[in-house]
Amino acid sequence: MTDNNIATQARVEPVTSWSKVWLIPLIALGVGVWMVYQQLSQQGPVVQIEFRSAEGLEPGKTKIRARDVEVGLVKEITLAKDLSSVIVTARMTADADPLLTQDANFWVVTPKVSLSGISGLSTLLSGAYIKLEPGNSPQRSVRFKGLDTPPLTPAGAPGLHLTLSSGQDFAYAAGDPIIYKGLEVGKIDHVHFNVAERTVYYNAFIQAPYNKLVTSNSRFWNASGVKMDLSAEGLSIQAGNLQTLLTNGVTFGVPAHLPQGEVITERTYFKVYPDYEQATAPDFQYSQEYLLLLEDSVKGLFPGAPVTYRGLNIGKVLAVNLPLEQQPAYLEPQYQIPVLISLYPGQIGLSDNLVGKQKLDEKMDLWIQDGLHASLGNGNLLTGKQLIELTYAPLSARHNDLVSLQNYRVIPSVSGELSQLTEKFSALLDKFNHLPLQELAENASDMLGTSAQTMVEIRTSLQSMQGLLAELQDKQLVEQLRATLASLEQLAADFADGSTSQGELQRTLQQIQRTLQQSQPLLQQLNQTPNSLIFSGQGDESQPRATGAN
């Protein structure tokens, strides 16, 4: 009973349908949703960048960086519809959204070696990447055109933008330096050739704080390579820094005769002069053109060459061999080379205005009548460049006629000093060539032959004379010997037996013998008593005695 009651009283509890095991997938789902949300919240917009080629770019690997911070990743690379470029689709981060302005720049960073330095070495290991440089535009954009090369001047960089132009034959490239007293203060950003004007324009940037050096009176000139000038003062060499020795470069400054001027604060146009001398020369507004007709060679005379008067620069050459109407052919003997020059009233001592230009025209006619003329002069001994010299000709070479040709007043011209020297030397050579050198040489040869024959005859005569002298000397010696022998024979004959001389000699010897015999007693006495000739008498009286003897 008891067991049955217990069995009937058993408690039945309902089974629940939810289990704690489901907590694990729910937590995983929440984490996944949170990660998706976090990922979506951190993603920025999708941008499209057009490049010329996709070299070095890979979808899913190539990153986009701004100031070395990753701000995007390349997702897809496709060809453009016209097949001339590629479209790079990239997902940007949310932090990069403010950087996507309309003037933002994109370019591919790869290793690059140039004269200005080495860049992009880090990509040798990590691979190429796309660099983003934000702009200053307030408008946003998601479509951009990538640059082939990185911009030389960052957008918004402090400094001054300038426009430079040069009409010379030298040209600059993007990246060429702008130098101030040997220090690089800027670069050429962009080069543009205006086909209509046939002029090259350069966009240049002077970085701060050097932009304050550019004033309204600044002059820019070429500083490329090495300039050598050989003049009367000696050899001078001018050069910029090492970079301008390898590439081109521009420098600037304020000429000494001008004030500093006002500081330039906005884009301004400047002309680039060929060298320092032309850049610092006074800039005159008024000039008057004149024509020269030269008979000398104009080799080394170029447009821009100076026109001088007694060493003072008063103008420049505008054109050489100017086309004129009804001119003879070049090979005609009467052809004269027309050279157009320009004179500045301000450099001649007149006012630099319209009145000074009119006075120059009036005075030029008087100067021509007084003998003013033009000639070619040597401008540089090393390069052979020529210039135009104005001076007064001698009275014998003056041309006082006033001639005009195609509305240009013609200044008479004469041969230059070099041409005159060449003509004199040529005349001297002509005279030398007209000398009868062959006849003179033949006469000289005949004279030398005659002289040689004469010398031989003189030598033969001298030898004959020596023989004669020798014979004469021998004859004189023989005669002297003969005379001496004759004298000896005469002397021997005088002392021969029975001759008078021999008898006289014998008598003299006998007399000498008798005299010696007679003087023999005297000699004996002298030997015995030497003082007998002084003291006469007995010998005892001749003895000396002592004083006081008895």
Side-chain angles (χ1 to χ4, degrees):
M1 294 289 295
T2 304
D3 294 336
N4 294 331
N5 291 334
I6 294 172
T8 58
Q9 293 179 359
R11 187 179 61 180
V12 178
E13 294 180 358
V15 178
T16 60
S17 61
W18 183 84
S19 175
K20 294 181 180 179
V21 179
W22 290 99
L23 290 175
I24 295 175
L26 289 176
I27 293 173
L29 179 61
V31 172
V33 171
W34 179 84
M35 292 179 64
V36 171
Y37 171 77
Q38 189 71 17
Q39 181 69 22
L40 293 176
S41 64
Q42 291 182 355
Q43 285 184 352
V46 176
V47 298
Q48 290 184 341
I49 311 169
E50 182 182 357
F51 287 105
R52 182 173 296 182
S53 67
E55 182 181 1
L57 303 180
E58 295 182 22
K61 292 184 178 181
T62 303
K63 300 176 181 180
I64 300 177
R65 296 180 182 179
R67 294 184 174 89
D68 291 333
V69 177
E70 184 178 343
V71 294
L73 181 66
V74 174
K75 295 297 183 179
E76 185 183 9
I77 301 177
T78 59
L79 286 172
K81 293 182 179 181
D82 57 357
L83 305 179
S84 62
S85 60
V86 296
I87 304 298
V88 176
T89 303
R91 170 68 71 175
M92 307 298 294
T93 62
D95 297 337
D97 187 65
L99 304 178
L100 301 177
T101 58
Q102 192 174 17
D103 57 348
N105 292 321
F106 291 84
W107 68 90
V108 180
V109 177
T110 56
K112 183 178 180 181
V113 179
S114 62
L115 294 174
S116 58
I118 302 175
S119 61
L121 290 180
S122 61
T123 59
L124 293 174
L125 300 177
S126 62
Y129 65 90
I130 299 175
K131 187 170 183 180
L132 165 62
E133 183 181 87
N136 298 323
S137 176
Q139 299 179 0
R140 296 181 68 257
S141 178
V142 293
R143 294 182 179 273
F144 302 93
K145 183 166 183 164
L147 303 177
D148 296 333
T149 58
L152 298 175
T153 303
L160 177 65
H161 290 272
L162 301 174
T163 300
L164 306 179
S165 176
S166 171
Q168 304 298 321
D169 293 335
F170 52 82
Y172 306 101
D176 287 345
I178 298 177
I179 309 298
Y180 182 80
K181 295 185 177 179
L183 180 66
E184 183 176 344
V185 298
K187 289 184 177 180
I188 302 293
D189 280 342
H190 180 69
V191 180
H192 172 68
F193 179 70
N194 191 318
V195 180
E197 299 179 1
R198 298 191 178 185
T199 305
V200 182
Y201 291 97
Y202 306 96
N203 292 331
F205 178 77
I206 309 295
Q207 60 191 12
Y210 307 109
N211 58 320
K212 297 180 181 179
L213 299 174
V214 183
T215 66
S216 58
N217 289 330
S218 295
R219 301 284 179 85
F220 288 76
W221 64 90
N222 182 35
S224 307
V226 179
K227 179 184 178 183
M228 301 179 63
D229 185 17
L230 181 61
S231 61
E233 298 178 356
L235 178 64
S236 62
I237 301 177
Q238 298 179 3
N241 57 15
L242 179 59
Q243 188 173 355
T244 58
L245 294 177
L246 303 176
T247 61
N248 293 331
V250 181
T251 186
F252 65 96
V254 178
H257 65 277
L258 294 178
Q260 288 297 322
E262 299 180 357
V263 177
I264 300 297
T265 57
E266 57 185 8
R267 180 181 289 272
T268 309
Y269 169 81
F270 289 94
K271 176 184 177 182
V272 180
Y273 292 87
D275 50 36
Y276 172 78
E277 288 74 16
Q278 297 188 35
T280 57
D283 191 7
F284 297 101
Q285 298 181 357
Y286 290 86
S287 62
Q288 182 61 38
E289 298 175 351
Y290 295 94
L291 188 64
L292 310 178
L293 299 177
L294 302 179
E295 296 181 355
D296 298 334
S297 173
V298 295
K299 182 180 180 181
L301 183 67
F302 302 99
V307 178
T308 64
Y309 174 73
R310 298 168 63 183
L312 300 177
N313 193 350
I314 60 174
K316 66 178 180 180
V317 175
L318 297 180
V320 178
N321 198 21
L322 181 71
L324 298 177
E325 298 177 357
Q326 298 179 354
Q327 275 285 94
Y330 291 172
L331 299 182
E332 295 291 338
Q334 68 272 18
Y335 179 75
Q336 295 176 319
I337 302 176
V339 176
L340 185 65
I341 66 173
S342 177
L343 301 182
Y344 300 102
Q347 285 186 311
I348 299 178
L350 304 175
S351 57
D352 185 28
N353 50 33
L354 187 59
V355 176
K357 182 178 179 180
Q358 294 175 352
K359 286 186 178 180
L360 176 59
D361 268 343
E362 296 173 359
K363 290 182 174 293
M364 182 57 68
D365 293 343
L366 299 176
W367 294 336
I368 293 175
Q369 293 177 351
D370 289 338
L372 183 68
H373 74 284
S375 62
L376 286 172
N378 192 1
N380 192 296
L381 297 176
L382 186 62
T383 61
K385 288 186 177 180
Q386 297 192 96
L387 50 81
I388 299 297
E389 293 181 342
L390 296 182
T391 185
Y392 284 91
L395 293 175
S396 58
R398 289 185 178 180
H399 304 282
N400 301 328
D401 298 335
L402 298 178
V403 179
S404 295
L405 189 60
Q406 290 189 195
N407 297 326
Y408 296 119
R409 176 66 74 195
V410 178
I411 299 178
S413 61
V414 296
S415 298
E417 294 182 356
L418 182 61
S419 299
Q420 295 178 5
L421 181 61
T422 304
E423 292 177 359
K424 292 180 180 179
F425 187 71
S426 299
L428 181 62
L429 289 179
D430 292 339
K431 292 182 179 179
F432 185 77
N433 291 330
H434 286 87
L435 291 176
L437 298 180
Q438 185 67 27
E439 183 178 353
L440 291 175
E442 294 176 356
N443 295 336
S445 179
D446 295 341
M447 185 174 61
L448 289 175
T450 304
S451 300
Q453 184 177 359
T454 304
M455 293 299 296
V456 172
E457 294 177 355
I458 291 175
R459 180 178 297 177
T460 304
S461 301
L462 289 175
Q463 291 177 355
S464 301
M465 291 179 65
Q466 289 178 356
L468 293 174
L469 290 175
E471 292 178 359
L472 290 174
Q473 290 178 355
D474 293 341
K475 290 180 179 180
Q476 290 179 356
L477 181 60
V478 171
E479 293 295 333
Q480 290 178 356
L481 290 175
R482 288 178 180 178
T484 303
L485 291 175
S487 299
L488 291 175
E489 290 178 355
Q490 183 65 34
L491 180 61
D494 291 340
F495 288 97
D497 294 339
S499 62
T500 305
S501 297
Q502 185 178 11
E504 292 179 356
L505 181 60
Q506 290 179 355
R507 286 193 294 272
T508 301
L509 291 175
Q510 291 175 359
Q511 187 176 358
I512 291 172
Q513 185 175 3
R514 285 195 298 271
T515 301
L516 290 174
Q517 290 176 358
Q518 292 176 359
S519 59
Q520 186 172 5
L522 180 58
L523 293 173
Q524 292 178 356
Q525 182 180 354
L526 290 174
N527 289 330
Q528 295 177 0
T529 55
N531 56 354
S532 61
L533 293 177
I534 300 172
F535 299 102
S536 61
Q538 298 297 325
D540 55 354
E541 294 180 357
S542 58
Q543 298 292 329
R545 297 179 180 178
T547 303
N550 294 323

